[in-house]
Amino acid sequence: MAKILSIEDDEFLRELIGAHLRNAGHQVVTCADGAEAIRSILAERPDLVLLDLNMPYLDGFELLKALRGDALTRELPVIVLSGRTDHASQLRVLEMGGSDYLTKPILVEDLLASVKRRL
């Protein structure tokens, strides 16, 4: 199936999301922060990115902006997974070119359906 990069600073969620994606047949690479994610994106060339907004070093908004500003990653699907439930954050992500916005806690079925739609 697809190679997915999951960027999540919470270790428990990072492992849980990775396990669900692997169980669905995907190859998963995980990162704990935005700076590590940039290196992984360039090295791994994922088919899709799952992105938390609240992270150390480089937050999700900054990372999404960097991805959309680079010709190599401009079209890379990015699904944001965030605890932010405010409409302003959701709208900002979509205006910046995010592919989808899911709020935590995330139902596994919703995550897998969003991944399937974006691949």
Side-chain angles (χ1 to χ4, degrees):
M1 302 266 314
K3 183 187 288 188
I4 299 174
L5 176 65
S6 178
I7 309 160
E8 170 63 57
D9 64 326
D10 181 291
E11 183 179 0
F12 175 77
L13 285 177
R14 189 170 57 244
E15 294 304 318
L16 185 63
I17 290 167
H20 286 301
L21 293 169
R22 285 182 193 95
N23 287 341
H26 299 291
Q27 179 183 357
V28 181
V29 177
T30 62
C31 295
D33 63 65
E36 181 184 356
I38 288 183
R39 291 187 298 273
S40 290
I41 289 167
L42 295 175
E44 299 289 339
R45 302 288 183 188
D47 300 306
L48 182 139
V49 171
L50 299 177
L51 176 62
D52 184 20
L53 290 180
N54 296 324
M55 298 181 299
Y57 309 117
L58 186 69
D59 73 20
F61 291 114
E62 294 167 320
L63 182 56
L64 181 58
K65 181 179 178 182
L67 293 174
R68 291 304 177 244
D70 187 315
L72 292 174
T73 57
R74 186 170 291 132
E75 300 299 320
L76 179 64
V78 177
I79 300 171
V80 169
L81 311 177
S82 180
R84 293 184 184 193
T85 59
D86 62 288
H87 182 70
S89 292
Q90 295 175 23
L91 186 59
R92 183 175 174 197
V93 163
L94 296 175
E95 287 176 344
M96 292 176 70
S99 305
D100 202 353
Y101 192 105
L102 302 175
T103 56
K104 297 175 186 175
I106 299 161
L107 295 175
V108 174
E109 298 82 10
D110 292 342
L111 173 63
L112 296 177
S114 181
V115 166
K116 185 177 180 180
R117 280 192 306 272
R118 301 305 178 257
L119 290 174

